[in-house]
């Protein structure tokens, strides 16, 4: 994103009158960030690139890696992994837990439920070892996804966020990027495993510590985190009327501030800003030339609905443009991000939203290469006329 819109917090309001949700609430978290997912507009940022210790916010990436493997057919929800005796000795009853038994086998689906809903440290290790063979091999997969997503201020040394002298670190902006990818790339899996207020396993029911659940309409994620090293952090997601906001709050000294401020912050994101749809999901916005493929071009479509976000009461004024590196090169898979939709609006940062290929374009054969070469030869003559 070209620039970040920064809003300064105002002082706390009197408790004698109800708080106006459209007035910026007091946010005391050292790191804070809010983005409107549909438009990409940053609504608030404080030290958004600052590196901090995430604690259990790490588990968002753990679930993302699993979702990526499930989507690609490399992992099944009905697969089961064993709690090795060595793992049991190290992680049984440590922090938040599913109380997995020694030598027990647990399905991927149950492990993910435990990781997402009750923040189970033991489940993270069992999942990591089951997928990759070891924790270091799994964290290497996590860091590979960090690079793919462009998370510049993030590194993972553990799949559960347990204290490791700062070797695991994130930024608020990076956590928002990750959470946006989690939800937009894996909506079905996100809806299956996130948004649960409680979970039961082996007869033990535990509550989710998400401060929005039961209080904030449309809240469906994402994750809380706490260690003595990290303080209290939270990544929140709220969806209403087709609009979604994601926000990150990191480093609170006490949970009460995290709870109260996150609820007010979420309401402000909706009350102080209006969202105006500009492009529907699946709408074709252009066509890009393809080199070396079975087709000479591919349609560019919006993978989800996009909007423009403006302060409450303002009308939307914007221009749209498409940008890509021409020509695209085969092979291209349907859904690959191959271009950007550039949204320009007065007084706002330029937003770059992904556009994807509408179809597969396989690598072409000899005749396709001959066709491309012939087209390149005759194009200048056509222009001269």
């Amino acid at each position: 994103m070209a620039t970040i819109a920064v809003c300064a917090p105002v002082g706390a309001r009197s408790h004698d009158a109800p708080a106006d949700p459209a007035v910026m609430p007091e946010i005391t978290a050292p790191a804070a960030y809010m983005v409107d997912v549909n438009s990409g507009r940053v609504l608030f940022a404080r030290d958004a690139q600052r590196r901090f210790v995430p604690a259990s916010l790490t588990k968002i990436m753990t679930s993302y890696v699993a979702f990526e493997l499930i989507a690609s057919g490399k992992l099944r929800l009905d697969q089961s992994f064993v709690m090795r005796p060595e793992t049991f000795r190290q992680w049984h009853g440590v922090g938040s837990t599913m109380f997995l038994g020694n030598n027990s086998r647990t399905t991927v689906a149950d492990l993910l439920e435990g990781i997402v809903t009750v923040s189970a440290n033991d489940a993270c290790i069992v999942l990591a070892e089951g997928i990759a063979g070891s924790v270091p091999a799994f964290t290497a997969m996590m860091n590979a996804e960090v690079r793919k997503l462009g998370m510049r201020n993030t590194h993972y040394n553990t799949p559960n966020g347990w204290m490791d002298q700062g070797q695991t670190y994130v930024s608020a902006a990076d956590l928002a990027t990750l959470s946006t990818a989690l939800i937009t790339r894996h909506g079905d899996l996100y809806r299956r495993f996130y948004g649960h207020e409680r979970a039961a396993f082996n007869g033990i029911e535990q509550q989710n510590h998400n401060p929005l659940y039961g209080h904030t309409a449309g809240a469906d994620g994402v994750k809380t985190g706490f260690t003595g090293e990290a303080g209290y952090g939270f990544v929140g997601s709220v969806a209403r009327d087709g609009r979604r906001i994601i926000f990150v709050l990191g480093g609170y000294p006490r949970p009460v501030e995290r709870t109260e401020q996150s609820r007010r912050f979420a309401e402000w994101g909706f009350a102080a800003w209006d969202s105006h749809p500009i492009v529907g999901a699946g709408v074709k916005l252009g066509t890009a030339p393809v080199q070396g493929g079975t087709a000479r071009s591919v349609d560019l479509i919006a993978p989800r609905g996009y909007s423009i976000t403006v302060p409450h009461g303002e009308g939307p004024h914007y221009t749209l443009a498409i940008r890509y590196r021409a020509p695209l090169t085969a092979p291209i898979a349907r859904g690959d991000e191959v271009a950007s939709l550039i949204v320009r609006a007065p007084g706002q940062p330029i937003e770059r939203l992904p556009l994807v290929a509408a179809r597969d374009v396989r690598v072409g054969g000899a005749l396709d290469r001959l066709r491309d070469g012939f087209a390149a030869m005759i194009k200048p003559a056509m222009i001269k006329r």
Side-chain angles (χ1 to χ4, degrees), residues 17-53:
D20 181 351
V23 174
M24 179 67 209
E26 181 183 38
I27 300 297
T28 59
Y33 188 79
M34 179 182 284
V35 63
D36 187 300
V37 173
N38 300 62
S39 68
R41 181 167 183 176
V42 176
L43 308 183
F44 182 92
R46 175 190 295 143
D47 281 347
Q49 306 299 336
R50 169 189 175 187
R51 295 176 177 180
F52 65 90
V53 177

Side-chain angles (χ1 to χ4, degrees), residues 283-288 298-301 322 355:
V283 170
K284 174 186 172 182
L285 293 172
T287 301
V298 66
D299 289 343
L300 307 174
I301 63 173
I322 296 174
L355 298 179

Side-chain angles (χ1 to χ4, degrees), residues 41-206:
R41 181 167 183 176
V42 176
L43 308 183
F44 182 92
R46 175 190 295 143
D47 281 347
Q49 306 299 336
R50 169 189 175 187
R51 295 176 177 180
F52 65 90
V53 177
S56 288
L57 303 182
T58 297
K59 293 162 186 168
I60 303 172
M61 178 58 88
T62 301
S63 68
Y64 180 79
V65 170
F67 287 3
E68 285 282 290
L69 293 171
I70 293 165
S72 65
K74 298 176 182 177
L75 181 67
R76 301 190 321 274
L77 289 171
D78 62 356
Q79 281 182 255
S80 61
F81 296 135
V82 67
M83 167 66 91
R84 300 184 307 117
E86 300 92 329
T87 303
F88 180 81
R89 285 194 295 271
Q90 182 178 0
W91 289 103
H92 178 67
V94 176
S96 301
T97 178
M98 286 178 69
F99 302 101
L100 297 174
N102 190 17
N103 283 315
S104 62
R105 297 194 70 89
T106 309
T107 65
V108 170
D110 283 340
L111 290 171
L112 284 170
E113 183 69 37
I115 290 167
V116 170
T117 303
V118 303
S119 200
N121 290 320
D122 51 354
C124 289
I125 304 301
V126 170
L127 183 70
E129 293 178 340
I131 288 174
S134 69
V135 165
F138 187 79
T139 56
M141 297 173 69
M142 297 170 74
N143 290 315
E145 296 300 334
V146 164
R147 292 186 291 273
K148 290 179 185 177
L149 292 171
M151 298 166 62
R152 299 179 180 178
N153 292 293
T154 294
H155 180 265
Y156 294 106
N157 182 60
T158 167
N160 59 17
W162 194 250
M163 293 172 285
D164 62 359
Q165 292 76 51
Q167 295 181 74
T168 296
Y169 55 83
V170 297
S171 72
D174 282 355
L175 283 171
T177 295
L178 169 61
S179 299
T180 297
L182 180 82
I183 295 169
T184 59
R185 287 179 58 84
H186 303 293
D188 290 342
L189 288 168
Y190 179 79
R191 286 185 289 272
R192 174 166 178 169
F193 291 104
Y194 280 82
H196 304 166
E197 294 187 37
R198 61 186 59 83
F201 184 75
N202 283 344
I204 302 172
E205 183 174 276
Q206 299 184 67

